[in-house]
Amino acid sequence: MPDPENDLPVPRAPLALLLTGAFFVAPLLFFTGLTRNPYYLQITILNIVILGAAALFLRASLKAGAWLLPKTPLTRPLAALALVYLGSFAWSWFGHAPFFRPAMAAEGLRAGMFFLVNCLAVFYLALSVPCAGKDPGIPAGKWLAFILIWGALWLLFPWLKMPLSGDGLFDRLFDPYGALVWVSGFTAAYLLIRRCRQEDILHLALSAGAIASLYGILEYFNIELVWAKLLNPYGNRSVSTFGNPNFISTYIVIFLPLAASLLMKADTRAKRFYYGLVFFSYEGMLMSSLTRSSWLGAAAAFAFLFAFASHRGQFKANKKFLYPVFIVALLLLFFWPVNVEKPFSSGLVDRVSEAVSGIRSPSAVSLSGDKGRTYSSFHQRLLIWTSAWQMGLENPLLGKGWGQFELFYPFYQGRLMVNFPVMRSLRTHANNAHNEILEQWSQAGLLGLGVYLWFLVVLFYGFLRFYRTASPEARYGAVPLAAGLAGALTDNLLNVSIHFAVPGLAFWWVAGALALKTCGAGARPKWRRPRAAAAAAWVLLLCCLGSAWLWERQFTREFRYFNGFRAMRANNFPAAVAQLRGAWEANPREVNSNYEFGNAYVRAGELEKGAWAYGEALKSNGGYDEIYFNLAIILKRLGRSEEALKNLQVSSVINPLNQATWQALAEVYLSRPDRASVAARAAADFTEAVKIFPADSNMWNTLGYFHTLLKNYSAAREAYGRGIRADPGNLMLVENLAGVSRQLGLKNDPDLAWLAAYGRAEKIGGSPGGAGPSDLKAADALLTLEPANQKARLLRAKIYFKAGRLPEAREALEGLLKENDSDNQVRYGLAVIYEKEGNVPLARAEWRRFLQLEPGNAAVAGRLQALR
């Protein structure tokens, strides 16, 4: 191994300072009242310090006249991946309408910067920080003291913190005692890694993770040390300092094998206490996050770890110490509570059994659900995966375009909402594919996926080749790094975390550290063309400085956006406009900030400016239906009906489930003086609407009206008839149907005949007392006219219930509920039947499901309580 004192090509002190910022400050520093996204400050700090470290290497390269980044077999696949991403974006750019291109540029820049800075730059920085050699001399006692003492200082924070002195950036950032704690922690971390060796950086990452884990465990048990109230944006799932339970859980998956490996090898009391603390804090945080994909990732990481004889042998050699440790770890795993505020239930057992019951049959693995039932955690991912698959199918070679998933995903999801009704409650706005294979396939096609797999194959093949030939100590040190990467990749078959800043830092740094251990650092040859190379280095250096400035601008935008957001909630619209304009001026391409900017202008009465701001939001990301909808309403008020129609049509494609969009569309069509000339467009739109809302009689009525404008009376009669069967009490539909039937010369309109039969059966169902044989015949006759009609089936079940024919009524209601699990009217009747039949468990289950859909129904809550 190279000597770390001589093999670091940049000044040690500034690099150590920057890496302290990346691995200590970024994972742990966050503010809840600074930006809308509490971890945006982390992202900003991390990107700036990584860019600063890259600038150090570029500056040193200019001095040395040689590229100082080491060579590695992984350079080719990474370079190829960058080229494929660029080609995929370019192909997509020219393949889409000009309207989308500003948003595509914004999304492409965001994804490109993440890949270049958070992935490539981090990887090569890790590859450039040398290992310590045979005797790393890790001061385990000092690291243990660092965690315990710095963590203990925060115990005093609730009593020593000062109230906010103002509302400015500095006022919200600065607290005297907090600043003292952070300066002391930063200084201690810097001193511990000042030699800037790979082992030092990994131990800083381990220690920062332990601090975050201990804080997250306290959160899980409802103990909050920093903020005025407990942070629980994900229910009882702890987020710690990472802002999202999925982010910290992946970070833990990456470093947990390393902590276990070092614990297994610990030969002093200080090391056992230190690595034991890290290991158990990681396990506790992993359970506190309740992230099942990360549990799978951790299981895969440990399976990988113990697949190698180096670790099996070490475990056996130190079994006297390790057996009790791992027994305690297993007990902790199974007895970790799922919710500390409820009677004890194992978190592991509860979450796993929930998943098993949610996906209990092969038929459940479809967008049709399991007989109409869905399990949100799985089926929402299935919805995202299906859209991702369809994106890739559009261009199997290059995908939809690198960085374009979030922009275009809503358009694919909208069509699935139409075709799979049971998925409608799971509609979301996905920013990634939630599956690493589909992530590459959807955006970069087979080329991107193939090159990405090429990179992973080269990385892991290099590790396996190294393992066969290296010394026992060297191979032992490489295995946990590879295990952490294997665990993170397994986790991200159901997760998205490695595409976010801090877990992404962990993944790509460990990848670089593994490459360094297994492939080594190649020679750094002098520049063959010094002038051209120097010019390129200067351009890259300027890009680093420009990117750091861009991150400062983005953070300023987020700060001002949050100020504007708060002013909007306080109904202070002039202040909101001022703050949100400042956010736009700082960085004009953020969809949420610009959308709120538009809202502020509209609430302040400035409609033209509001329309402009909504346009800016669409230039940032054109995948939000609410932006098109709000813009259309403003355009309608401004008299620009044709533009309003186009925006409402796009909104209905993205989110066909929003009835307000269809209602607004009808209003715009009907308000036009030339409505007859647009009747064909309107009829096409509402033909789509009635597919989504077949029970909405107003939609059918609107469709029928536009067919009459087209003089297509046969289609109008069918629309009115379908509307009547959906809502027999709509008198306007009855009148319209009768009128169009007369126009067609129909003497015995079948829909009017059905309405008469329904009216007779409805009279029976609403009359007091029971029901006789003739009443049952009337109900059966109604159903014969249209066996699939839900109104008729429900009415027939009601009549059979009145007649005391409970089995037939129950069977009918069960059938209706299978088709629409969210129909609480049907569920109410079914639960009552279960009660009458004495089937208390099923009655309880239906009342519970009823309350899940309508939590505030006191009458149903009372019935459920009575059954207990």
Side-chain angles (χ1 to χ4, degrees):
M1 287 292 179
D3 179 6
E5 297 298 325
N6 301 314
D7 201 53
L8 191 63
V10 297
R12 186 169 285 101
L15 182 61
L17 285 170
L18 290 167
L19 292 179
T20 303
F23 285 96
F24 174 64
V25 179
L28 297 177
L29 181 66
F30 77 111
F31 287 85
T32 59
L34 197 63
T35 55
R36 184 96 187 270
N37 179 337
Y39 50 86
Y40 207 89
L41 182 60
Q42 292 182 339
I43 301 172
T44 303
I45 291 171
L46 179 58
N47 277 273
I48 289 176
V49 298
I50 294 300
L51 287 163
L56 281 180
F57 278 87
L58 289 168
R59 183 172 176 273
S61 296
L62 284 166
K63 285 187 174 181
W67 295 114
L68 297 183
L69 295 178
K71 289 186 176 180
T72 170
L74 293 159
T75 295
R76 287 186 178 180
L78 286 174
L81 193 60
L83 289 174
V84 171
Y85 286 167
L86 182 61
S88 170
F89 173 79
W91 184 268
S92 181
W93 169 274
F94 291 110
H96 283 88
F99 168 81
F100 285 108
R101 288 177 184 170
M104 293 178 70
E107 291 294 298
L109 178 63
R110 179 184 59 80
M113 285 183 65
F114 184 89
F115 178 69
L116 292 174
V117 178
N118 298 85
C119 302
L120 291 189
V122 169
F123 175 82
Y124 278 102
L125 284 173
L127 197 64
S128 303
V129 174
C131 296
K134 292 184 179 180
D135 183 18
I138 298 298
K142 292 181 180 179
W143 282 113
L144 178 62
F146 170 69
I147 294 173
L148 295 177
I149 295 173
W150 195 73
L153 290 175
W154 287 104
L155 296 174
L156 302 175
F157 185 74
W159 290 275
L160 297 178
K161 66 180 177 181
M162 299 290 289
L164 291 180
S165 58
D167 208 35
L169 177 60
F170 180 78
D171 299 316
R172 288 190 229 170
L173 276 173
F174 183 77
D175 175 86
Y177 180 73
L180 177 65
V181 174
W182 272 108
V183 169
S184 62
F186 187 91
T187 303
Y190 166 74
L191 291 174
L192 283 166
I193 70 160
R194 66 186 184 279
R195 291 175 294 181
C196 226
R197 306 171 306 170
Q198 191 64 240
E199 291 80 2
D200 299 322
I201 309 305
L202 290 173
H203 277 75
L204 178 56
L206 285 172
S207 301
I211 293 168
S213 296
L214 292 170
Y215 175 60
I217 293 169
L218 290 176
E219 273 187 333
Y220 191 75
F221 288 95
N222 297 331
I223 300 171
E224 176 56 65
L225 299 177
V226 179
W227 306 112
K229 63 179 182 178
L230 189 69
L231 303 181
N232 55 354
Y234 295 86
N236 64 321
R237 299 177 64 196
S238 181
V239 301
S240 185
T241 60
F242 281 59
N244 189 310
N246 295 354
F247 296 171
I248 188 168
S249 64
T250 298
Y251 185 96
I252 287 168
V253 167
I254 293 170
F255 289 113
L256 185 59
L258 180 60
S261 178
L262 293 170
L263 177 62
M264 289 162 57
K265 200 178 179 183
D267 55 2
T268 68
R269 183 173 296 178
K271 289 181 180 179
R272 288 180 175 180
F273 272 110
Y274 169 60
Y275 295 124
L277 175 64
V278 173
F279 177 79
F280 281 107
S281 68
Y282 279 14
E283 184 185 14
M285 184 62 235
L286 193 61
M287 299 308 297
S288 297
S289 74
L290 298 176
T291 307
R292 286 169 296 195
S293 65
S294 294
W295 294 355
L296 289 173
F302 273 90
F304 189 101
L305 192 72
F306 286 102
F308 292 90
S310 60
H311 282 70
R312 294 197 303 271
Q314 182 63 40
F315 188 82
K316 292 177 182 177
N318 203 8
K319 63 183 179 181
K320 186 176 179 180
F321 165 66
L322 292 175
Y323 277 10
V325 168
F326 277 82
I327 289 171
V328 171
L330 287 172
L331 291 174
L332 189 65
L333 190 69
F334 281 97
F335 288 99
W336 192 269
V338 70
N339 193 324
V340 296
E341 295 180 349
K342 295 181 179 179
F344 175 77
S345 178
S346 167
L348 180 67
V349 173
D350 187 84
R351 293 281 283 170
V352 171
S353 62
E354 177 190 315
V356 171
S357 62
I359 315 170
R360 55 190 173 190
S361 68
S363 62
V365 190
S366 75
L367 291 178
S368 299
D370 184 4
K371 299 178 181 178
R373 289 179 178 266
T374 59
Y375 177 51
S376 58
S377 294
F378 172 74
H379 284 96
Q380 192 171 71
R381 280 178 171 80
L382 189 61
L383 182 65
I384 297 170
W385 296 341
T386 305
S387 299
W389 176 251
Q390 292 175 342
M391 284 188 198
L393 285 179
E394 275 195 11
N395 184 351
L397 190 63
L398 288 171
K400 187 66 179 176
W402 184 249
Q404 305 307 306
F405 188 93
E406 183 177 358
L407 172 59
F408 290 113
Y409 166 79
F411 293 91
Y412 293 83
Q413 179 183 238
R415 178 48 46 188
L416 294 174
M417 295 288 99
V418 174
N419 295 332
F420 298 94
V422 298
M423 291 287 111
R424 292 176 183 177
S425 64
L426 303 179
R427 183 179 176 272
T428 185
H429 193 99
N431 44 23
N432 294 89
H434 288 71
N435 177 282
E436 194 60 14
I437 295 171
L438 289 172
E439 181 80 14
Q440 302 296 326
W441 155 261
S442 62
Q443 298 179 86
L446 287 173
L447 272 180
L449 177 60
V451 175
Y452 187 77
L453 293 176
W454 176 24
F455 162 74
L456 293 177
V457 167
V458 171
L459 179 63
F460 280 94
Y461 175 73
F463 157 72
L464 291 173
R465 186 176 58 183
F466 171 82
Y467 184 85
R468 288 195 296 266
T469 58
S471 66
E473 186 165 344
R475 68 174 67 171
Y476 188 89
V479 171
L481 300 179
L485 295 176
L489 290 168
T490 303
D491 178 6
N492 275 257
L493 293 177
L494 296 166
N495 202 345
V496 66
S497 49
I498 61 174
H499 296 279
F500 287 82
V502 176
L505 165 74
F507 180 85
W508 285 95
W509 186 277
V510 170
L514 179 64
L516 175 66
K517 281 182 175 290
T518 58
C519 304
R524 304 181 180 106
K526 289 283 185 181
W527 286 335
R528 293 181 180 178
R529 298 179 179 177
R531 290 185 179 179
W538 275 111
V539 168
L540 290 173
L541 188 59
L542 291 173
C543 286
C544 287
L545 297 175
S547 298
W549 172 83
L550 179 60
W551 272 106
E552 183 276 328
R553 292 283 79 200
Q554 290 186 99
F555 177 76
T556 301
R557 176 201 69 207
E558 288 297 305
F559 176 69
R560 292 176 178 169
Y561 161 49
F562 189 55
N563 288 343
F565 178 83
R566 296 197 305 173
M568 281 287 288
R569 296 309 175 268
N571 294 323
N572 187 351
F573 306 125
V577 167
Q579 288 291 339
L580 292 164
R581 171 164 285 281
W584 178 84
E585 289 170 348
N587 184 265
R589 287 294 167 261
E590 209 290 318
V591 63
N592 296 294
S593 177
N594 291 340
Y595 175 63
E596 198 72 6
F597 193 17
N599 292 340
Y601 269 135
V602 172
R603 297 290 294 275
E606 300 186 68
L607 300 188
E608 286 286 1
K609 291 182 178 179
W612 168 80
Y614 287 139
E616 289 296 290
L618 293 176
K619 288 179 181 179
S620 304
N621 187 323
Y624 287 84
D625 65 286
E626 55 264 46
I627 304 175
Y628 293 99
F629 178 83
N630 285 11
L631 177 58
I633 298 304
I634 299 307
L635 293 171
K636 177 177 176 289
R637 291 171 63 182
L638 292 170
R640 294 153 64 179
S641 62
E642 184 60 33
E643 293 176 71
L645 276 177
K646 290 179 180 178
N647 281 283
L648 286 170
Q649 286 174 321
V650 177
S651 182
S652 70
V653 169
I654 296 173
N655 181 12
L657 309 182
N658 187 0
Q659 286 182 297
T661 301
W662 297 105
Q663 291 165 1
L665 200 57
E667 289 173 8
V668 175
Y669 275 127
L670 293 171
S671 66
R672 291 180 59 134
D674 60 340
R675 70 183 71 163
S677 66
V678 295
R681 286 169 59 190
D685 284 337
F686 281 89
T687 298
E688 189 72 11
V690 295
K691 292 178 184 177
I692 304 156
F693 301 103
D696 190 321
S697 58
N698 291 323
M699 298 282 190
W700 288 108
N701 196 35
T702 303
L703 176 60
Y705 171 76
F706 285 113
H707 278 310
T708 59
L709 288 182
L710 294 168
K711 301 189 184 307
N712 189 348
Y713 298 115
S714 177
R717 193 211 70 79
E718 183 180 354
Y720 291 140
R722 292 288 298 275
I724 279 176
R725 295 188 185 225
D727 182 9
N730 191 318
L731 298 179
M732 183 181 290
L733 274 169
V734 175
E735 184 180 337
N736 289 342
L737 177 59
V740 81
S741 293
R742 286 193 298 270
Q743 187 77 26
L744 290 168
L746 291 177
K747 294 183 178 179
N748 298 306
D749 188 293
D751 293 305
L752 290 174
W754 180 91
L755 180 63
Y758 184 88
R760 291 191 293 271
E762 188 176 36
K763 188 175 181 181
I764 296 168
S767 63
S774 61
D775 299 329
L776 296 178
K777 285 183 180 179
D780 291 339
L782 172 65
L783 201 63
T784 302
L785 294 175
E786 189 184 358
N789 187 279
Q790 293 188 353
K791 292 279 187 181
R793 291 161 66 189
L794 181 58
L795 183 55
R796 178 179 178 273
K798 184 177 181 180
I799 294 171
Y800 268 78
F801 178 81
K802 284 170 62 78
R805 302 274 290 273
L806 299 186
E808 291 93 334
R810 171 171 38 80
E811 183 181 359
L813 294 177
E814 287 174 341
L816 285 167
L817 211 54
K818 285 179 182 178
E819 295 173 13
N820 183 7
D821 185 62
S822 63
D823 192 333
N824 265 359
Q825 183 184 7
V826 173
R827 176 167 281 107
Y828 190 99
L830 183 59
V832 170
I833 291 176
Y834 284 146
E835 284 188 12
K836 284 188 172 292
E837 291 181 332
N839 196 335
V840 175
L842 287 181
R844 281 196 194 116
E846 295 304 334
W847 290 132
R848 287 194 193 101
R849 177 62 177 153
F850 191 110
L851 290 172
Q852 287 176 358
L853 298 170
E854 294 183 39
N857 194 309
V860 169
R863 296 194 74 138
L864 178 60
Q865 185 64 33
L867 288 179
R868 288 173 179 165

